[in-house]
Amino acid sequence: MGGKKKFPFYLSPEKKAILERRYQEDGSQSLTAFIEKAVDFYLDYLSANDAGLFLPTSIKSYLDGRLGQLEERLSSLAFKQAVEQDMVAGILADAYQFSDEDLRRRRSESVQNVKKTNGRISLEQRVRGPGWRRTMSGKINPEKSLSQVRWKQFCQRLPAVHRHKGARGTGP
């Protein structure tokens, strides 16, 4: 690094008193060494563009722990949701016996729906989707949707043992 250059450095008496107290607490050999460390730290902070590198260890540890807990919780919820979705898909696949063309069309439609709504699809939107048309007066004109037609087919194929009271239609 070479030699050091002296330059005037002005501080209020209060700041100078704090510096003198702190450099001794820090264990620095001199006030100049302490100020040099402080300047180096601040320059590194400005260069890093990531204040996380300079967080106190306790805060960083706490944040890492909380983020770890959040990650575990979200992973667990995602797994449970995937299991439930797989169960529903299995039940529907057994009941409806979709053709390969039906599945391709349904996947394409689902991808478009998710993109169009940014993933915010509700059951109500799906029920009133393509099978429900608005008339010129603004009233809803229900047409028989594909899901309504398929529901009747499903009920006919579903063994009476699996039907429950309260489900669409009558129970055993």
Side-chain angles (χ1 to χ4, degrees), residues 97-126:
Q97 305 296 320
F98 290 110
S99 70
D100 287 344
E101 179 56 35
D102 283 340
L103 289 175
R104 276 192 293 279
R105 182 188 53 76
R106 176 63 65 182
R107 177 169 304 282
S108 172
E109 183 181 307
S110 292
V111 168
Q112 289 173 4
N113 288 338
V114 170
K115 285 181 178 179
K116 187 176 10 176
T117 62
N118 206 15
R120 293 189 172 112
I121 299 174
S122 70
L123 179 60
E124 187 175 278
Q125 287 172 323
R126 291 296 288 148

Side-chain angles (χ1 to χ4, degrees), residues 13-23 25 31 34:
E14 296 85 23
K15 286 276 191 233
K16 189 167 189 292
I18 292 170
L19 276 175
E20 288 173 347
R21 186 181 77 242
R22 290 297 192 136
Y23 99 84
E25 290 172 3
L31 189 56
F34 179 76

Side-chain angles (χ1 to χ4, degrees), residues 37-160:
K37 281 172 43 177
V39 169
D40 287 342
F41 175 84
Y42 189 67
L43 292 174
D44 288 344
Y45 171 79
L46 292 175
S47 298
N49 286 332
D50 182 9
L53 297 173
F54 298 95
L55 286 174
T57 309
S58 59
I59 293 175
K60 192 168 176 45
S61 175
Y62 173 78
L63 289 175
D64 288 344
R66 292 298 290 176
L67 288 173
Q69 289 174 350
L70 178 64
E71 180 183 11
E72 286 178 25
R73 182 169 168 78
L74 290 175
S75 296
S76 174
L77 289 171
F79 180 80
K80 288 177 183 178
Q81 187 176 16
V83 169
E84 294 295 322
Q85 185 177 358
D86 182 69
M87 287 173 54
V88 171
I91 291 167
L92 290 174
D94 290 346
Y96 284 120
Q97 305 296 320
F98 290 110
S99 70
D100 287 344
E101 179 56 35
D102 283 340
L103 289 175
R104 276 192 293 279
R105 182 188 53 76
R106 176 63 65 182
R107 177 169 304 282
S108 172
E109 183 181 307
S110 292
V111 168
Q112 289 173 4
N113 288 338
V114 170
K115 285 181 178 179
K116 187 176 10 176
T117 62
N118 206 15
R120 293 189 172 112
I121 299 174
S122 70
L123 179 60
E124 187 175 278
Q125 287 172 323
R126 291 296 288 148
V127 168
R128 294 208 168 98
W132 290 74
R133 306 278 183 244
R134 293 202 178 265
T135 62
M136 295 294 275
S137 66
K139 293 182 181 177
I140 295 176
N141 179 19
E143 300 170 359
K144 267 196 172 175
S145 68
L146 180 62
S147 60
Q148 291 169 326
V149 171
R150 298 247 171 153
W151 178 254
K152 285 188 178 179
Q153 294 170 352
F154 171 72
C155 287
Q156 291 167 356
R157 277 190 279 202
L158 189 64

